[in-house]
């Protein structure tokens, strides 16, 4: 029934091979871009067909393993090239290929004229291929191949402008920090395989087999060790404290790369992995609380930094870190469906925001180049009043901003409200729930503030661009605007498939389609939580009240931004002058990068210099050079004995004979 699933990752791989091997000879940008976009679009079509087949099956049968061939076998270890098709992987396929197609189409216009055009599309196709392997692999090893693949591609794409030192440094930073997380993933995999095999004789890393034997895992203990290892991997990929600093620096890559990494692919990998392993995570209360608290702290912490950034892409980057924190809150409180729901809605509005920012940057670059200005095209302080020059970009950007702020009727409201409600009412963490909800609510307030700050500074007020440059400001071509329109529509309607029961009952009994769709995937985790957690009673009035609070929080954030950046734009400057230390700390990202340099980077460099100059030069080179000098010294002495002159040898023999005879005569 699902015999064609292997085509989904194959199409982007073919696109990568064609553009990577032949792109330099093809040269035509439209052909290269079309190959890349068409490859991912074909994957999207097959994904839609797969999804339609899956939903036609009964709930109990919505999990299919498709084995292509045996990959490796060693003793009790076995790994296949095989795909798992279930509601979760199907949803991820639709998000990755759908958003990926739109980003590829956008890139045709955005990357026009760039050196290495073919190389960019080759990397982009390889990125999508790796992500598709990650979400469809039916075992931990195949997932890890995709996991490493997206890490490699992120290095290539973030460092795309390799002639810039900052881009190269950002690529290396992303690569190294992700390797730290990946080590945790491997430790978790090895420990899980060893423990289950040694204890119960079940040697497997296949997800369906692991889920089938979930009842064999104890509560806590070794499960806590395993899940914490996996969580370290998730913090690296999904940019959570303390492994988040690579993601804002990823802005050095082209804007379509930022959209792909931040919206639909790499950063969601950690969330997806926890969701896929939910049957294991739910059995460790310690890990679940860790996930929830780290997520809440990340959501709030990143939001504070976003309030003071002036680079339009960097604001969105910290927004991504913060929104990923919400997803981890959901996973940590056992609201796995809500976490996946927010992953999906976030993909819609965050892709729209990044692509919209790219359209703004594209127009700003053109305008500044027109007047030969070297001002920063990404600095919002150089913008203002762009709405009248770029109405389509402004409209779509505003819709996505309303969605991320959590205004009712838009997709972000439904998923964010569900997470906050589950954080408050979940039965897992007792009084800690209030802390988690409080941090999430504060993050929501800051999100609404800094996102509308971005909108007001960029599109409203007086145009602050260099005089004369405003004449060159223009709306982007249709190939750039079209994906924005599609994503803006999804940012509105995307949330209605996951209507909370409270709202669904109010509008005529509309069910939560997403919850029903994903229920087979999280059935094991939900059953365990219901059986072992202490459930309290929460009234509908409390849920309505908290929903109202979240709306008020969003409106307060928007109002503050409006008052500060539209009504009285002088207030931010006065605040900065009144609290220069606080502003500097927030602007410099609380000096976390500097702290990491002090604790990790500089000591490693010092150790490296010591091993080089103190050990390598003195000890290793000293031994090598000493041996050489000793050999030369011995050789210098011996050479006097080996002169090649016969009379010297005869004289030496004569002396030797006299010595020997003398020894025997006089001993």
């Amino acid at each position: 029934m699902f015999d064609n699933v292997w085509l989904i990752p194959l199409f982007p791989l073919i696109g990568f091979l064609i553009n990577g091997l032949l792109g330099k000879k093809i040269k035509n940008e439209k052909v290269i871009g079309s190959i890349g976009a068409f490859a991912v679009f074909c994957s999207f079509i097959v994904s839609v067909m797969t999804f339609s087949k899956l939903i036609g099956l009964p709930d109990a049968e919505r999990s299919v393993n498709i084995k292509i061939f045996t990959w490796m076998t060693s003793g009790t270890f076995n790994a296949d090239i095989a795909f798992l098709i279930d509601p979760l992987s199907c949803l991820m396929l639709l998000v990755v290929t759908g958003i990926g197609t739109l980003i590829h189409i956008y890139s045709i216009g955005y990357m026009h004229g760039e050196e290495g055009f073919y190389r960019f599309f080759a990397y982009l196709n390889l990125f999508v291929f790796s992500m598709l392997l990650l979400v469809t692999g039916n075992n931990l090893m195949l997932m890890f191949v995709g996991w490493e693949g997206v890490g490699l591609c992120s290095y290539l794409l973030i460092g795309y402008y390799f002639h810039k030192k900052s881009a190269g440094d950002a690529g290396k930073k992303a690569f190294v920090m992700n390797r730290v997380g990946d080590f945790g993933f491997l430790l978790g995999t090895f420990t899980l395989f060893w423990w289950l095999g040694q204890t119960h004789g079940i040697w497997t890393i296949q997800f369906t087999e692991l889920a089938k034997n979930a009842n064999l895992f104890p509560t806590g203990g070794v499960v806590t060790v395993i899940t914490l290892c996996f969580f370290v991997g998730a913090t690296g990929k999904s940019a959570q404290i303390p492994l988040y600093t690579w993601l804002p620096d990823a802005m050095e890559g082209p804007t379509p790369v930022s959209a792909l990494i931040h919206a639909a692919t790499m950063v969601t990998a950690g969330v997806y992995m926890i969701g896929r392993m939910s049957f294991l995570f739910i059995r460790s209360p310690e890990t679940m609380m860790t996930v929830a608290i780290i997520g809440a702290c990340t959501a709030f912490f990143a939001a504070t930094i976003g309030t003071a950034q002036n680079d339009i892409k960097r604001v969105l980057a910290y927004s991504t870190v913060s929104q990923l924190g919400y997803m981890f809150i959901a996973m940590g409180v056992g609201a796995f469906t809500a976490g996946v729901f927010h992953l999906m809605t976030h993909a819609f509005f965050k892709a729209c925001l990044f692509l919209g920012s790219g359209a703004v940057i594209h127009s700003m670059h053109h305008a500044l180049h027109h007047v030969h200005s070297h001002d920063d095209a990404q600095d919002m302080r150089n913008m203002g009043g762009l709405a009248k020059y770029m109405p389509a970009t402004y409209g779509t950007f505003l819709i996505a901003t309303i969605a991320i702020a959590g205004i009712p009727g838009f997709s972000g409201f439904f998923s964010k409200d569900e997470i906050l409600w589950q954080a408050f009412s979940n039965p897992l963490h007792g009084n800690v729930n209030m802390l988690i909800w409080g941090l999430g609510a504060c993050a929501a307030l800051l999100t609404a503030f800094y996102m509308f700050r971005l909108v007001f500074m960029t599109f409203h007020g007086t145009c602050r661009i260099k005089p004369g440059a405003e004449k060159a400001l223009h709306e982007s071509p249709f190939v750039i605007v079209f994906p924005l329109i599609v994503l803006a529509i999804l940012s509105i309607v995307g949330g209605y498939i996951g209507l909370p029961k409270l709202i669904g009952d109010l509008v005529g009994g509309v069910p939560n389609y997403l919850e029903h769709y994903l229920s087979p995937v999280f059935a094991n985790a939900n059953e365990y939580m219901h059986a072992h957690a202490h459930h309290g009673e929460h009234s509908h009035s409390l849920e309505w009240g908290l929903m109202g609070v979240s709306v008020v929080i969003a409106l307060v954030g928007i109002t503050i931004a409006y008052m500060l950046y539209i009504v009285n734009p002088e207030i931010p400057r006065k605040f900065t002058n009144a609290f220069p230390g606080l502003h500097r700390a927030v602007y410099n990202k609380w000096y976390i990068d500097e702290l990491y340099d002090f604790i990790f980077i500089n000591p490693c460099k010092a150790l490296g210099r010591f091993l080089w100059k103190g050990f390598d030069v003195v000890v290793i080179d000293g031994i090598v050079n000493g041996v050489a000098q000793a050999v030369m010294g011995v050789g210098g002495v011996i050479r006097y004995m080996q002169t090649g002159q016969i009379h010297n040898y005869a004289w030496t023999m004569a002396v030797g004979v006299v010595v020997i005879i003398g020894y025997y005569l006089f001993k």
Side-chain angles (χ1 to χ4, degrees):
M1 183 179 293
F2 297 95
D3 293 339
N4 295 325
V5 167
W6 57 276
L7 291 172
I8 298 174
L10 180 64
F11 283 126
L13 181 62
I14 293 173
F16 160 71
L17 293 173
I18 294 174
N19 281 331
L21 298 175
L22 304 174
K24 200 169 184 178
K25 295 181 180 179
I26 296 175
K27 295 181 180 179
N28 189 302
E29 288 186 356
K30 290 184 179 179
V31 174
I32 293 170
S34 297
I35 291 171
F38 184 70
V40 182
F41 179 69
C42 288
S43 294
F44 174 69
I45 294 299
V46 180
S47 298
V48 172
M49 295 168 60
T50 303
F51 172 76
S52 64
K53 290 180 181 177
L54 188 74
I55 61 175
L57 298 175
D59 289 358
E61 299 177 16
R62 290 181 182 178
S63 181
V64 183
N65 284 285
I66 301 96
K67 181 180 176 180
I68 307 301
F69 60 87
T70 298
W71 179 19
M72 61 179 82
T73 301
S74 179
T76 56
F77 176 77
N78 181 73
D80 299 325
I81 300 296
F83 303 116
L84 172 60
I85 301 300
D86 69 352
L88 180 58
S89 62
C90 246
L91 180 66
M92 293 298 296
L93 285 175
L94 293 175
V95 171
V96 172
T97 57
I99 302 293
T101 299
L102 294 172
I103 292 172
H104 276 71
I105 294 171
Y106 175 96
S107 300
I108 296 173
Y110 188 87
M111 298 299 291
H112 172 65
E114 288 281 355
E115 186 180 357
F117 188 88
Y118 77 94
R119 177 166 55 89
F120 176 83
F121 275 89
Y123 292 165
L124 221 57
N125 275 176
L126 184 61
F127 201 147
V128 174
F129 165 74
S130 300
M131 189 64 191
L132 292 174
L133 274 188
L134 192 157
V135 300
T136 57
N138 86 330
N139 59 78
L140 281 163
M141 288 308 297
L142 191 56
M143 174 186 275
F144 188 71
V145 171
W147 191 274
E148 289 295 284
V150 295
L152 171 64
C153 293
S154 69
Y155 168 75
L156 296 172
L157 287 167
I158 294 169
Y160 177 78
Y161 299 119
F162 56 85
H163 55 276
K164 292 170 58 182
K165 185 178 183 303
S166 58
D169 290 345
K172 288 183 284 188
K173 186 176 183 179
F175 190 82
V176 171
M177 294 196 78
N178 272 276
R179 297 296 75 73
V180 174
D182 297 348
F183 183 64
F185 187 106
L186 284 176
L187 283 180
T189 301
F190 298 154
T191 308
L192 174 62
F193 179 74
W194 169 81
W195 183 87
L196 192 59
Q198 284 290 102
T199 309
H200 300 284
I202 301 172
W203 302 94
T204 185
I205 54 172
Q206 189 175 318
F207 293 122
T208 51
E209 290 298 314
L210 291 171
K212 189 186 299 182
N213 295 285
N215 62 302
L216 300 177
F217 292 100
T219 299
V222 69
V223 173
T224 298
V225 174
I226 294 170
T227 51
L228 284 176
C229 287
F230 279 119
F231 179 58
V232 170
T235 60
K237 273 290 182 288
S238 296
Q240 298 295 286
I241 293 173
L243 301 177
Y244 74 93
T245 57
W246 70 269
L247 191 58
D249 288 355
M251 298 302 99
E252 291 291 342
T255 300
V257 173
S258 304
L260 195 60
I261 290 177
H262 286 245
T265 56
M266 185 170 169
V267 296
T268 63
V271 180
Y272 169 79
M273 183 266 287
I274 294 177
R276 176 60 69 198
M277 305 281 291
S278 60
F279 58 86
L280 196 61
F281 275 79
I282 198 64
R283 284 166 167 79
S284 174
E286 296 84 2
T287 300
M288 292 292 286
M289 182 172 290
T290 302
V291 172
I293 292 175
I294 291 292
C297 291
T298 303
F300 175 73
F301 185 75
T304 63
I305 300 174
T307 60
Q309 303 305 304
N310 295 314
D311 185 299
I312 187 171
K313 287 177 64 177
R314 202 164 279 274
V315 175
L316 296 177
Y318 281 104
S319 168
T320 297
V321 177
S322 182
Q323 295 303 306
L324 287 166
Y326 277 104
M327 299 175 206
F328 276 80
I329 289 174
M331 295 299 174
V333 301
F336 300 106
T337 299
V340 174
F341 186 23
H342 197 59
L343 183 157
M344 182 191 71
T345 59
H346 176 262
F348 299 151
F349 55 69
K350 185 51 60 71
C352 185
L353 289 169
F354 264 112
L355 297 186
S357 71
V360 169
I361 295 167
H362 186 269
S363 184
M364 286 288 295
H365 267 300
H366 178 77
L368 291 171
H369 180 74
H370 183 73
V371 295
H372 307 289
S373 173
H374 297 288
D375 287 349
D376 188 353
Q378 297 184 192
D379 195 324
M380 297 184 297
R381 292 170 295 185
N382 298 327
M383 303 175 187
L386 298 187
K388 63 180 178 181
Y389 302 105
M390 308 177 70
T393 300
Y394 169 65
T396 54
F397 200 98
L398 181 62
I399 289 171
T401 303
I402 295 172
I404 196 174
I407 300 300
F410 294 78
S411 62
F413 164 76
F414 299 110
S415 56
K416 187 181 293 185
D417 178 74
E418 184 67 17
I419 291 173
L420 289 175
W421 165 246
Q422 294 288 350
F424 185 90
S425 64
N426 85 88
L428 296 178
H429 307 314
N431 293 331
V432 180
N433 289 340
M434 291 298 297
L435 172 64
I436 297 170
W437 180 86
L439 288 171
C442 291
L445 172 67
L446 294 174
T447 299
F449 167 74
Y450 68 68
M451 286 304 305
F452 272 88
R453 169 181 177 267
L454 186 156
V455 170
F456 295 145
M457 289 183 68
T458 303
F459 295 101
H460 292 263
T462 305
C463 187
R464 297 178 295 276
I465 199 170
K466 286 284 186 182
E470 70 276 0
K471 298 177 182 177
L473 290 170
H474 60 83
E475 184 63 88
S476 300
F478 183 72
V479 72
I480 290 179
V481 173
F482 171 72
L484 295 178
I485 295 172
V486 175
L487 290 167
I489 294 172
L490 291 173
S491 298
I492 299 173
V493 304
Y496 288 91
I497 65 169
L499 280 180
K501 186 177 184 302
L502 206 64
I503 297 178
D505 292 342
L506 187 66
V507 295
V510 177
N512 189 323
Y513 294 106
L514 186 66
E515 185 176 12
H516 175 73
Y517 171 73
L518 291 175
S519 58
V521 179
F522 304 126
N524 193 303
N526 291 333
E527 288 173 7
Y528 183 89
M529 186 167 67
H530 287 306
H532 293 81
H534 300 287
H535 294 267
E537 293 293 330
H538 297 289
S539 64
H540 289 328
S541 59
L542 178 61
E543 188 173 352
W544 278 116
L546 289 176
M547 189 181 297
V549 170
S550 69
V551 174
V552 170
I553 285 172
L555 294 175
V556 168
I558 297 170
T559 303
I560 294 173
Y562 179 78
M563 297 299 296
L564 296 185
Y565 294 94
I566 298 295
V567 178
N568 195 345
E570 293 298 316
I571 293 179
R573 189 178 298 108
K574 293 178 180 178
F575 181 87
T576 301
N577 294 333
F579 304 97
L582 177 61
H583 177 263
R584 257 192 322 271
V586 179
Y587 181 76
N588 290 295
K589 303 158 286 185
W590 298 109
Y591 298 104
I592 298 298
D593 281 305
E594 289 79 3
L595 180 64
Y596 284 1
D597 286 345
F598 178 77
I599 297 176
F600 301 110
I601 307 300
N602 293 338
C604 287
K605 286 182 176 179
L607 178 62
R609 282 193 296 269
F610 168 75
L611 293 175
W612 165 36
K613 294 184 177 181
F615 189 75
D616 188 50
V617 174
V618 176
V619 179
I620 303 299
D621 288 353
I623 293 173
V624 173
N625 295 333
V627 171
Q629 291 174 1
V631 172
M632 290 176 64
V634 173
V637 173
I638 294 176
R639 71 186 180 90
Y640 291 109
M641 301 171 61
Q642 300 289 334
T643 62
Q645 298 178 3
I646 295 177
H647 67 275
N648 287 342
Y649 298 154
W651 172 250
T652 303
M653 291 172 66
V655 172
V657 170
V658 171
V659 170
I660 293 170
I661 293 172
Y663 172 78
Y664 283 104
L665 288 175
F666 297 105
K667 70 177 183 177

